[in-house]
Amino acid sequence: MAELKYMPGFGNECVSEDPRCPGALPEGQNNPQVCPYGLYAEQLSGSAFTCPRSTNKRSWLYRILPSVCHKPFKPMDQGHLTHNWDEAEAEPNQLRWKPFEIPRASEKKLDFVSGLHTLCGAGEPKSRNGIAIHIFTCNTSMINRCFYNSDGDFLIVPQQGKLLITTEFGKLLVEPNEICVIQQGMRFSVEVFGETRGYMLEVYGAHFELPDLGPIGANGLANPRDFLVPVAWYEDRQVAGDYTVISKYQGKLFSAQQDFSPFNVVAWHGNYTPYKYNLDNFMVINSVAFDHADPSIFTVLTAKSTRPGVALADFVIFPPRWGVANNTFRPPYYHRNCMSEFMGLIKGRYEAKEEGFQPGGGSLHSMMTPHGPDAECFEKASKARLEPERVAEGTMAFMFESSFSMAVTTWGLKTSNCLEKTYYKCWEQLKSHFNPSCK
Ligand SMILES: [Fe+2]
């Protein structure tokens, strides 16, 4: 695979030209009467035209043919993609899933779109307020097919197998332990290299941004320069009515045929782009005295709601780090939360549950559903000698934390056949240590 080119950029104005066509970007204006090389100019807006400058998002694409050249969209098979949050009964219990199974290509061919399965979510794309969590399992590349989301943004977390994602802005190679964000409307096609699995957080109505740092100061957590944006790349490829453009629109899939590859953008500029980030670059901050900071200290990206301090969803990671807190029960504390917490594991063993929670699986602790370390972890951590120790070495767990009370789909509860029936038992062995005569 040829080396791919990236530039740093998180919401910055970037400029990019495919090196095969120097000077393809018009100089001094966005939409000249005639563009260099006979290209068409097309704006992709990611915010209302009138948003304040700090949140205004748009890019200008200079392409061989504009996106409008396609046959009408028609409904297509939904597979296991849904935003019908009423299809199953409400489920307030702690839920945990074994690794989601990836079919072999010889049994069932699935590409990134046909391999999407909605696990849980809430809210509504029509009113642009909500989230969905999807699992993708695939074994086949998308051939002459591209996908875009009219409803919101995708944050993609590969867990097994790398993704070579061709976008209108260029190519992104995204490997496990990296994430990428494909924002609303951006067309992309995913090439895979074997059995591939991962998690996807969809937000309707807000873009992901870096969290504010407050007293942390100017540096820390995910630094803007570590977010990489692709460099322009185009193909001038005719496919005679056989290229399929798939749109997720109002929660449903639609397809339209066209005669050419949509990856025909020779140059672009703007601050509305796909991007990727390597989780190893996260600068971890935590207590160096006693007790815990709340897990919000591990927030990589947040999609804010309109309520101050409340996210539609945060993407939070639990990376390798030092544990040094004195006189402290160091694993995550027992708690009940007014937010919903979906967790996944990219690799390794999660400290609060060394068994049971496996890479490629997941757990959901819903609103006010109690959770915390299992009995074995509690006993071990209560007696441990508190020396500086490496925590989560070789591990990368993450959380999609949301202010929405999420419904679980029928696929999540039944069809996937991955839901554990006995998860609650991991807390059954917790015993009372209470002794009123001994402090
Ligand atoms: Fe939690």
Side-chain angles (χ1 to χ4, degrees):
M1 191 184 301
E3 192 180 345
L4 302 180
K5 293 200 172 71
Y6 304 100
M7 57 189 141
F10 189 95
N12 299 331
E13 180 79 8
C14 292
V15 297
S16 192
E17 290 177 349
D18 188 308
R20 291 170 286 176
C21 294
L25 271 174
E27 280 183 28
Q29 66 179 110
N30 294 323
N31 192 22
Q33 185 177 24
V34 177
C35 293
Y37 295 102
L39 296 168
Y40 285 86
E42 182 180 285
Q43 183 175 218
L44 180 65
S45 293
S47 64
F49 297 139
T50 47
C51 269
R53 189 174 278 267
S54 60
T55 53
N56 209 304
K57 304 274 180 203
R58 64 86 182 88
S59 285
W60 279 92
L61 311 177
Y62 299 93
R63 61 197 320 156
I64 297 166
L65 279 170
S67 305
V68 70
C69 301
H70 64 83
K71 295 281 191 290
F73 279 100
K74 294 176 183 159
M76 62 182 282
D77 180 21
Q78 297 294 116
H80 291 288
L81 194 80
T82 182
H83 78 286
N84 176 6
W85 310 128
D86 296 321
E87 64 180 23
E89 287 297 314
E91 174 52 271
N93 284 304
Q94 300 91 355
L95 302 177
R96 187 165 71 185
W97 290 270
K98 294 176 284 192
F100 298 99
E101 285 171 24
I102 316 168
R104 288 173 194 276
S106 55
E107 290 163 13
K108 188 179 185 189
K109 283 200 159 121
L110 290 176
D111 70 12
F112 184 82
V113 175
S114 58
L116 282 175
H117 309 83
T118 308
L119 187 70
C120 53
E124 219 285 315
K126 284 184 204 154
S127 52
R128 312 280 298 114
N129 191 30
I131 74 160
I133 294 173
H134 311 279
I135 304 296
F136 60 89
T137 54
C138 45
N139 49 37
T140 304
S141 297
M142 292 170 69
I143 309 277
N144 287 340
R145 272 156 71 90
C146 76
F147 186 35
Y148 71 96
N149 186 0
S150 306
D151 295 334
D153 293 14
F154 287 141
L155 187 157
I156 300 171
V157 184
Q159 185 273 320
Q160 177 179 317
K162 57 191 173 191
L163 310 175
L164 179 57
I165 306 178
T166 302
T167 76
E168 291 172 281
F169 294 79
K171 288 174 180 264
L172 292 159
L173 180 66
V174 189
E175 302 190 53
N177 211 50
E178 295 182 310
I179 58 151
C180 77
V181 173
I182 310 282
Q183 306 193 72
Q184 186 186 15
M186 295 172 181
R187 294 173 179 202
F188 67 104
S189 183
V190 180
E191 194 176 329
V192 298
F193 306 87
E195 291 171 10
T196 304
R197 174 172 56 209
Y199 311 84
M200 191 161 78
L201 170 61
E202 179 181 10
V203 293
Y204 320 132
H207 295 303
F208 289 99
E209 57 188 280
L210 291 166
D212 290 327
L213 292 177
I216 292 173
N219 304 292
L221 311 190
N223 287 309
R225 71 170 183 152
D226 294 323
F227 288 80
L228 300 180
V229 168
V231 166
W233 177 88
Y234 76 91
E235 60 181 3
D236 184 11
R237 191 159 64 86
Q238 307 298 308
V239 276
D242 204 25
Y243 200 101
T244 305
V245 177
I246 302 166
S247 173
K248 178 177 173 292
Y249 177 77
Q250 296 186 354
K252 302 209 161 139
L253 296 181
F254 296 85
S255 68
Q257 302 306 122
Q258 65 182 42
D259 294 331
F260 59 95
S261 164
F263 304 116
N264 62 354
V265 175
V266 178
W268 58 265
H269 79 88
N271 62 357
Y272 188 57
T273 69
Y275 53 86
K276 74 165 192 167
Y277 176 72
N278 187 326
L279 302 178
D280 281 343
N281 289 320
F282 189 81
M283 178 188 161
V284 184
I285 286 176
N286 209 343
S287 168
V288 290
F290 57 85
D291 283 354
H292 291 250
D294 285 318
S296 48
I297 203 74
F298 301 119
T299 301
V300 180
L301 290 168
T302 183
K304 291 178 176 172
S305 77
T306 51
R307 287 175 289 160
V310 179
L312 297 178
D314 287 329
F315 174 62
V316 175
I317 59 172
F318 302 96
R321 60 198 182 273
W322 285 97
V324 297
N326 287 323
N327 192 33
T328 295
F329 180 77
R330 287 183 179 171
Y333 41 74
Y334 293 98
H335 75 137
R336 294 176 294 156
N337 193 349
C338 66
M339 305 275 279
S340 307
E341 302 179 11
F342 173 82
M343 282 193 65
L345 186 59
I346 299 168
K347 60 182 178 179
R349 287 149 71 98
Y350 180 58
E351 71 220 74
K353 293 184 190 65
E354 295 211 342
E355 304 299 330
F357 182 50
Q358 296 171 53
S363 68
L364 178 64
H365 300 128
S366 295
M367 220 155 254
M368 290 302 164
T369 297
H371 57 284
D374 63 21
E376 191 187 336
C377 176
F378 178 82
E379 295 300 331
K380 213 163 110 185
S382 304
K383 294 178 189 128
R385 254 177 82 109
L386 295 184
E387 296 170 327
E389 63 174 343
R390 291 293 291 168
V391 179
E393 201 64 79
T395 295
M396 189 60 77
F398 71 89
M399 177 161 67
F400 297 148
E401 183 173 23
S402 174
S403 58
F404 285 93
S405 186
M406 290 192 280
V408 185
T409 60
T410 304
W411 182 82
L413 293 172
K414 293 194 178 115
T415 324
S416 67
N417 209 22
C418 292
L419 188 66
E420 288 182 35
K421 305 285 185 237
T422 57
Y423 181 33
Y424 68 97
K425 291 194 173 186
C426 75
W427 295 284
E428 273 190 338
Q429 303 305 316
L430 286 166
K431 54 184 188 237
S432 171
H433 297 278
F434 180 60
N435 181 349
S437 59
C438 175
K439 191 178 171 205

